[in-house]
């Protein structure tokens, strides 16, 4: 099951969380492995439309039963989810209460695990297809974290097969693929050659020069590269938001603490799982230097 949210490390005897960086790193190493042998990897990033909100309760309970979970546990979940009600507030008006019949709550402790149970059969079917990228006997044709699914293949024909398998199983569990936010790219020696279009339910998916996967912008180039420009833009937006809230008369120590806590992580997000060239490191350093230049220039003006 590739959709890991919490995994046990038997070697060290403790549990460790698996985050976005692990998925991005796995994607990168898979692409680099096939690129090193002269192959071009075709990638399709599928966007599931409101996946967490559309999980069907009955389908969820059936999948839990198929996994032979204790009856008392399933009965507790049925009791909880059978009592979900909500209402709409508009200014001072409140609608009548209505029953919620689908969806797992985002942010809930159990929600990621329940969602993983629902999509596990999808990942099993992708692995059993024997299509796409395999490193020796290890299946690397798909990586999924939360509702972000990405498919990898060195041939467009196999990629179309993987897409067909995914679309069929996604439909079976009551979800939909958002074709407007689904894109394909190629990374490798033949990245500039745009092949025939990938189809999802007769809808054409565009080959693009850049996709966003788990917040990291991946470029269609000869080697695995990321675009830092958007990351820097978000970094400066976060910096300007802090200045907009606290003004220029706040203690420098407070400003620096806020910047280090809320801005620097935005700038460095994903840098631990990609290989940064000297020019990329210089670009990040320049953005960091501009931060302090802007900070102390404001303090001098005041």
């Amino acid at each position: 099951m590739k959709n890991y949210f919490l995994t046990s490390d038997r070697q060290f005897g403790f549990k460790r969380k698996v985050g976005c960086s692990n998925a991005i790193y796995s994607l990168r190493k898979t692409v680099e492995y096939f690129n090193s042998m002269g192959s071009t990897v075709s990638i399709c990033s599928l966007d599931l439309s409101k996946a967490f909100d559309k999980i069907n309760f009955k389908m969820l309970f059936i999948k839990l039963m198929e996994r032979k979970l204790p009856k008392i546990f399933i009965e507790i979940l049925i009791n909880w989810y059978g009592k979900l009600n909500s209402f709409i507030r508009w200014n001072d008006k409140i609608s009548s209460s209505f029953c919620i019949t689908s969806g797992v709550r985002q942010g809930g402790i159990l929600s990621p695990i329940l969602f993983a149970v629902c999509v596990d059969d999808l990942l099993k079917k992708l692995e059993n297809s024997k299509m796409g990228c395999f490193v020796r006997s290890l299946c690397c044709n798909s990586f999924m974290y939360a509702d972000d699914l990405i498919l990898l293949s060195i041939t467009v024909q196999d990629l179309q097969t993987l897409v067909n398998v995914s679309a069929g199983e996604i439909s079976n569990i009551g979800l939909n693929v958002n074709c407007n936010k689904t894109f394909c790219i190629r990374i490798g020696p033949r990245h500039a050659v745009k092949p025939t279009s990938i189809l999802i339910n007769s809808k054409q998916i565009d080959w693009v020069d850049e996709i966003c996967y788990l917040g990291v912008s991946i470029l269609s180039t000869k080697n695995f590269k990321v675009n830092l420009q958007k990351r820097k833009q978000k970094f400066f937006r976060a910096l300007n938001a802090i200045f907009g809230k606290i003004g220029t008369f706040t203690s420098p120590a407070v400003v620096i603490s806020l910047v280090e806590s809320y801005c620097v992580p935005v700038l460095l997000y994903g840098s631990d799982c990609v290989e940064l060239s000297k020019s990329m490191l210089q670009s990040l350093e320049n953005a960091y230097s501009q931060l302090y230049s802007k900070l102390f220039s404001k303090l001098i003006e005041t």
Side-chain angles (χ1 to χ4, degrees), residues 23-65:
I24 298 168
Y25 180 81
S26 299
L27 170 64
R28 171 201 154 199
K29 296 303 290 184
T30 301
V31 171
E32 289 179 344
Y33 174 82
F34 286 95
N35 287 167
S36 66
M37 297 187 293
S39 299
T40 298
V41 181
S42 297
I43 301 173
C44 182
S45 176
L46 277 75
D47 182 83
L48 304 186
S49 180
K50 298 181 180 180
F52 276 79
D53 297 330
K54 292 184 177 181
I55 293 296
N56 183 276
F57 291 159
K58 292 181 180 180
M59 180 271 298
L60 170 62
F61 300 145
I62 290 173
K63 287 187 177 292
L64 292 175
M65 293 176 189

Side-chain angles (χ1 to χ4, degrees), residues 59-229:
M59 180 271 298
L60 170 62
F61 300 145
I62 290 173
K63 287 187 177 292
L64 292 175
M65 293 176 189
E66 290 174 348
R67 283 160 177 75
K68 302 186 184 303
L69 266 70
K71 179 182 176 182
I72 184 64
F73 176 74
I74 298 176
E75 288 178 343
I76 291 174
L77 288 179
I78 292 175
N79 184 272
W80 284 352
Y81 283 98
K83 296 178 179 178
L84 290 180
N85 291 280
S86 187
F87 61 86
I88 298 173
R89 172 178 291 172
W90 183 267
N91 294 328
D92 58 343
K93 305 296 182 181
I94 298 178
S95 71
S96 57
S97 177
F98 56 90
C99 182
I100 299 176
T101 59
S102 64
V104 291
R105 296 179 178 180
Q106 292 197 46
I109 296 175
L110 279 178
S111 296
I113 299 174
L114 295 177
F115 182 80
V117 169
C118 293
V119 300
D120 189 38
D121 288 337
L122 162 62
L123 298 170
K124 288 180 179 178
K125 287 187 176 182
L126 289 172
E127 182 173 2
N128 293 335
S129 70
K130 303 301 180 183
M131 301 285 185
C133 293
F134 277 75
V135 179
R136 296 185 175 89
S137 60
L138 179 64
C139 177
C140 297
N141 65 4
S142 58
F143 295 100
M144 190 173 192
Y145 188 86
D147 58 349
D148 290 304
L149 173 63
I150 199 162
L151 308 175
L152 300 88
S153 173
I154 57 175
T155 67
V156 178
Q157 292 81 2
D158 283 2
L159 183 62
Q160 179 66 70
T161 301
L162 293 176
V163 168
N164 293 341
V165 171
S166 300
E169 182 60 25
I170 288 171
S171 178
N172 289 339
I173 60 178
L175 301 180
N176 298 309
V177 177
N178 187 350
C179 295
N180 294 328
K181 294 184 179 180
T182 297
F183 302 102
C184 297
I185 65 168
R186 305 189 81 199
I187 301 176
R190 292 172 55 81
H191 70 91
V193 179
K194 295 298 186 288
T196 56
S197 298
I198 298 295
L199 300 177
I200 299 180
N201 300 326
S202 301
K203 294 183 179 179
Q204 181 174 308
I205 304 302
D206 296 329
W207 292 93
V208 296
D209 297 325
E210 180 180 334
I211 61 171
C212 183
Y213 179 63
L214 298 176
V216 174
S217 297
I218 303 172
L219 298 173
S220 176
T221 56
K222 186 177 180 180
N223 302 304
F224 189 94
K225 291 183 180 179
V226 297
N227 184 0
L228 297 179
Q229 187 60 33

